[in-house]
Amino acid sequence: MMLLPFAYQGQSKIDNLSFENVENNLPKSWSIIGDSPATISVDNKERQDGQYSVLAQSTVKGMAGLMYTLPENYAGKKIHFRLYQNRKPY
């Protein structure tokens, strides 16, 4: 799974980076990307912090991920993201 939080579009604030706001079993304000038939949903069993994490499941190889649109233009500034990943083999 790949997280791409680098798109720019005018939003008012950074929201839901921890997946706590859920809509239709997906983190609100996040978009699914890729061409894989993977199933992506929130999960409340495996998590690092908070109520939810994101679960991506697939039986075939391919690219699937989530994308978050940042609310500001951070050109020329450093942004640090931390990702906790629990990868299980096919």
Side-chain angles (χ1 to χ4, degrees):
M1 184 172 88
M2 186 167 66
L3 296 176
L4 297 175
F6 299 109
Y8 171 74
Q9 183 179 9
Q11 293 176 335
S12 60
K13 65 176 184 167
I14 295 177
D15 188 33
N16 206 28
L17 291 179
S18 61
F19 312 129
E20 294 303 299
N21 297 321
V22 176
E23 189 173 85
N24 298 321
N25 205 31
L26 292 170
K28 189 174 180 182
S29 301
W30 288 81
S31 303
I32 296 175
I33 59 167
D35 57 3
S36 172
T39 301
I40 298 177
S41 62
V42 293
D43 180 40
N44 63 1
K45 294 181 179 96
E46 298 275 342
R47 59 187 190 269
Q48 177 66 27
D49 189 24
Q51 290 183 314
Y52 301 108
S53 63
V54 172
L55 176 64
Q57 295 179 307
S58 182
T59 57
V60 298
K61 290 184 178 182
M63 199 288 285
L66 290 176
M67 181 177 76
Y68 183 83
T69 302
L70 292 174
E72 303 290 333
N73 185 350
Y74 294 97
K77 297 183 181 180
K78 290 183 180 180
I79 301 174
H80 298 272
F81 291 93
R82 182 173 292 149
L83 167 71
Y84 296 96
Q85 182 176 343
N86 181 359
R87 184 179 181 275
K88 297 179 183 175
Y90 291 99

